[in-house]
Amino acid sequence: MADGRCYNSVNAEYPSVTQSSPYLPKPMTPPPFTALTSAPTATPNLDITLTKTKTLVKPAVGGSGCANTTGCTTKTDTVLSDSMRARIEKHPCYSEEAHHHYARMHVAVAPACNIQCNYCNRKYDCANESRPGVVSELLTPEEAAHKVLVVAGKIPQMTVLGIAGPGDPLANPEKTFRTFELIAEQAPDIKLCLSTNGLMLPDYVDRIKALNVDHVTITINMVDPAIGEKIYPWVHYRRKRYRGIEGVRILHERQMEGLQALKEADILCKVNSVLIPGINDEHLPEVNAAIRERGAFLHNIMPLISAPEHGTYFGLNGQRGPNPKELKQVQDNCAGNLKLMRHCRQCRADAVGLLGEDRSQEFTKDKFMEMPVSYSLETRQAVHISIEQAKAAVVAKKQAAARIPGALSENSPKVLIAVATKGGGIVNQHFGHAKEFMIYEVDAAEAKFVSHRKVADYCQGGYGEEAMLTGIIDTISDCKAVLAVKVGPCPSQQLQAAGLVVVEAYDVIETVARQFYDEHVLKR
C-alpha cells in the first residue's frame, strides 16, 4: 500500500567507523525539523554529526556536565562524588547517560553453572534468541582475548568487557580469571566486569579485587528462602547438590555474604532481580531494602522472559512475565535511596555493541579469528574525547529543557511518551525502523527515562505491515505521544486515531519532550 511507505531514505545507514576511515565523518544534513509551535526555553546551538556507531556533537559555549548522570531515576538519589562518577561514566550498564554513547561486549567462556533457575535454559549454539544464557559459540580465554582486541579496534566506543555466562563465571573461575588477565595485559583501558549468582562470590572477592574488576553484578531474586524455593530447584555447593529450601538458604546466605564483601573491598555492585508475577513481585521491595543495607550501588529490576519455546520450567508451565505497567509499578515501589537501573536490555552472554543493539553475529569465531587486531589506545582515547564532547552538549540541552520544580509542577500531570532513537540521547530514528521505543515520563518539571519496550520491525521492504503496526500501537497505548525523526502518513494517521500525538523532530529527547508537554498538556 503506497500510503504506508517507510521513507527509507530518511534513515539511511551511515558509514561505519574503521581504522582506514576518519573518525570524524563528513557532516550530515539532518532531516527537516518539524517544530512544535514554540520552544519554551532558549537552548544552546547543537552541531550534530552522525555515523552508524556514534554521535559527534560540538559542545555549545558554556555547556557543562550534569551532576546526576547515572542510571538513577528517582528524585531522592544523592549527588555522586567526582571519583564515583569517574568510575561509572563510561559503563553503559551503571550509567544511563553512558548507555547512549558507550558500548559493551560479553565473552562466553563460562559454560558451567552451579544452580538451576526455573527461568533459565542455557543454549550454546543459538543466534536466534536475545536473552541471558544464550550464545552462538563458546570461547577459550585466548580466543576471547583476541575477540576483545578485534572489537575494541572496530568499535572504539566499546569500554566494558563482561563475563556473564552462559553459565556462572565463578563456577568456571580459572577460565574467567585467565580471560581477565589476558585482557588487562593487552587492553588496559577496558573496564572488567562480571555477573554471578553469588554462590561462590565470597571465595573470590580478593582475586576479583586483585585483577581490578571494579564492577560485579549479582542476581538476587529473594531474601526469603520460602520464596526462593519457587525459583531455584537445586543448588550445587562444595561438591554436593542441595534440593529445595536447604539449597536456597545456602544461596541466600552466600549472596548476602558476597554483597557485604564487595562493599568492604570497594567494588561497585549492581543487583539484578527478575520480576516473576505471583512469586516475588510483592517481595522485591524487601530485596531492595536488604541490598541497600549491604551497600549495593544499583538495583536492576527486570522482567521475566518466559515463553514455551525457550524450554524453561516457567515457560513450559505457563508462568507469565510482567507487562510494562506491572514492571514500572514495582520499580516505582522500590524507588528511594538506592539507584534504579531502568535501561537494561537483558543481554545475551555474547552481546556486542550498544545496549539495545546486538552485533554479535558480526564477530562469530569464523570471522573474528581471521580479523587482524587493530586495537590502538591512542585512537580509542581520541574517540572517547569526542564522545565526551557529545555528552556535554546533549547534557547542556537537557539542562536547558529542565525547570526548577515549583508551583507549576507540583500538581502537573505525568504522561508517558515513546521515543524512536538510535542513541546519543537524540530523537534520530524513523518510526518504521524502531525495534524498541524508549519510554519517558514527563511532567512540568522534568522528562525522565523510565523504560524501553521492544516492538516488531514495522518497515518490511520499504512498506509498512499493518499487523506489525497494530502490535506497536498496543505496546505504547498508554503513551500520549510518539517522537520520531519521521513517520509515514499511514502510521501517522493510525497513531493519531489511537490517541497518540505524532511529533516529527530531530533534537535532544528532553528538548522535544518539553516542547510537546508545554503545547499539548499544559496549554489544554
Side-chain angles (χ1 to χ4, degrees):
M1 59 180 189
D3 60 353
R5 295 174 192 236
C6 295
Y7 298 98
N8 286 329
S9 60
V10 174
N11 200 33
E13 293 292 334
Y14 307 112
S16 299
V17 176
T18 66
Q19 287 290 3
S20 59
S21 64
Y23 281 94
L24 299 178
K26 295 179 181 179
M28 182 195 79
T29 303
F33 177 80
T34 306
L36 301 173
T37 54
S38 62
T41 56
T43 57
N45 292 327
L46 194 63
D47 183 3
I48 302 176
T49 302
L50 298 181
T51 74
K52 183 177 180 181
T53 54
K54 67 174 182 293
T55 306
L56 303 179
V57 183
K58 295 180 181 179
V61 175
S64 61
C66 174
N68 188 11
T69 59
T70 71
C72 17
T73 55
T74 66
K75 295 180 181 179
T76 55
D77 291 327
T78 56
V79 176
L80 296 175
S81 66
D82 289 342
S83 60
M84 183 63 73
R85 191 178 302 112
R87 293 171 70 176
I88 68 169
E89 65 180 356
K90 293 183 181 181
H91 197 308
C93 299
Y94 281 69
S95 167
E96 194 274 324
E97 191 73 37
H99 105 277
H100 292 292
H101 306 275
Y102 290 104
R104 77 341 185 180
M105 70 174 293
H106 295 163
V107 289
V109 298
C113 197
N114 46 19
I115 70 172
Q116 179 60 53
C117 307
N118 282 333
Y119 53 74
C120 182
N121 179 27
R122 290 167 287 143
K123 293 186 178 180
Y124 298 169
D125 187 17
C126 180
N128 300 318
E129 294 181 18
S130 180
R131 60 186 179 87
V134 173
V135 299
S136 291
E137 53 207 355
L138 295 171
L139 305 178
T140 67
E142 290 72 23
E143 290 169 340
H146 180 77
K147 181 177 181 179
V148 170
L149 294 175
V150 167
V151 172
K154 292 188 176 294
I155 308 178
Q157 54 271 59
M158 188 277 287
T159 54
V160 175
L161 179 280
I163 300 179
D168 188 86
L170 298 184
N172 306 258
E174 296 312 314
K175 293 178 181 178
T176 294
F177 293 129
R178 178 56 180 160
T179 303
F180 283 147
E181 289 170 352
L182 291 171
I183 293 165
E185 292 170 2
Q186 300 174 65
D189 66 319
I190 294 177
K191 292 180 179 294
L192 304 178
C193 185
L194 73 82
S195 298
T196 176
N197 57 45
L199 181 64
M200 299 308 299
L201 180 59
D203 294 359
Y204 292 110
V205 169
D206 289 345
R207 193 167 179 184
I208 290 169
K209 183 70 174 179
L211 283 169
N212 199 31
V213 178
D214 196 39
H215 301 74
V216 171
T217 295
I218 313 175
T219 298
I220 301 177
N221 297 315
M222 55 82 207
V223 291
D224 180 352
I227 291 174
E229 193 175 10
K230 302 174 184 178
I231 304 172
Y232 307 103
W234 57 258
V235 170
H236 192 274
Y237 179 64
R238 305 294 189 205
R239 300 186 178 184
K240 181 178 179 181
R241 180 168 295 187
Y242 297 86
R243 297 187 180 276
I245 201 165
E246 184 180 11
V248 176
R249 285 198 181 101
I250 293 171
L251 176 63
H252 166 61
E253 292 169 2
R254 297 285 287 177
Q255 288 177 335
M256 297 300 102
E257 183 182 349
L259 181 55
Q260 185 68 38
L262 291 177
K263 177 183 177 181
E264 293 170 1
D266 192 29
I267 297 171
L268 294 182
C269 180
K270 172 170 68 74
V271 169
N272 286 348
S273 296
V274 179
L275 171 56
I276 310 166
I279 293 181
N280 70 347
D281 45 353
E282 296 181 2
H283 177 59
L284 285 180
E286 295 180 47
V287 175
N288 181 269
I291 64 174
R292 180 175 67 239
E293 180 183 344
R294 290 164 177 81
F297 175 77
L298 194 63
H299 194 189
N300 172 28
I301 300 172
M302 53 192 185
L304 170 71
I305 300 175
S306 181
E309 59 266 28
H310 296 155
T312 67
Y313 176 85
F314 280 154
L316 294 173
N317 286 276
Q319 173 63 54
R320 70 173 182 89
N323 62 43
K325 184 177 181 180
E326 290 170 329
L327 176 63
K328 183 177 183 298
Q329 183 61 59
V330 174
Q331 290 172 332
D332 290 347
N333 290 344
C334 291
N337 293 326
L338 181 60
K339 305 176 192 304
L340 290 179
M341 176 185 183
R342 302 197 191 222
H343 61 278
C344 175
R345 302 305 200 275
Q346 294 176 274
C347 306
R348 291 167 56 103
D350 57 4
V352 176
L354 295 170
L355 297 189
E357 74 173 4
D358 184 6
R359 299 176 61 182
S360 60
Q361 293 308 301
E362 297 178 36
F363 300 98
T364 54
K365 189 186 301 187
D366 62 320
K367 297 175 183 177
F368 75 74
M369 290 303 291
E370 300 299 322
M371 296 178 183
V373 170
S374 55
Y375 170 87
S376 166
L377 180 59
E378 293 75 18
T379 299
R380 285 172 52 80
Q381 288 174 335
V383 172
H384 292 185
I385 288 172
S386 71
I387 291 174
E388 290 304 308
Q389 292 173 343
K391 285 174 58 181
V394 170
V395 166
K397 290 213 66 170
K398 287 171 62 174
Q399 289 178 326
R403 291 198 181 98
I404 299 175
L408 179 67
S409 61
E410 285 179 357
N411 298 311
S412 65
K414 296 181 183 293
V415 300
L416 300 180
I417 61 173
V419 182
T421 175
K422 295 186 292 184
I426 299 167
V427 182
N428 59 4
Q429 188 173 42
H430 190 292
F431 172 83
H433 293 176
K435 295 183 179 179
E436 69 171 15
F437 287 93
M438 297 187 71
I439 308 300
Y440 279 71
E441 186 176 74
V442 190
D443 61 17
E446 64 179 344
K448 65 180 182 180
F449 171 79
V450 294
S451 68
H452 64 91
R453 298 180 189 173
K454 294 181 179 180
V455 295
D457 192 359
Y458 172 61
C459 279
Q460 305 283 336
Y463 293 88
E465 293 289 335
E466 287 297 324
M468 300 298 184
L469 181 57
T470 300
I472 294 171
I473 291 175
D474 183 63
T475 299
I476 60 175
S477 60
D478 58 339
C479 296
K480 297 299 183 183
V482 176
L483 279 52
V485 75
K486 187 69 177 177
V487 184
C490 178
S492 179
Q493 291 171 8
Q494 294 194 43
L495 287 165
Q496 293 179 66
L500 287 94
V501 176
V502 174
V503 180
E504 293 182 336
Y506 183 91
D507 208 336
V508 170
I509 293 169
E510 286 80 1
T511 298
V512 183
R514 168 63 52 232
Q515 293 173 358
F516 156 76
Y517 191 88
D518 286 5
E519 179 175 340
H520 291 273
V521 181
L522 287 184
K523 291 186 179 180
R524 282 182 178 178

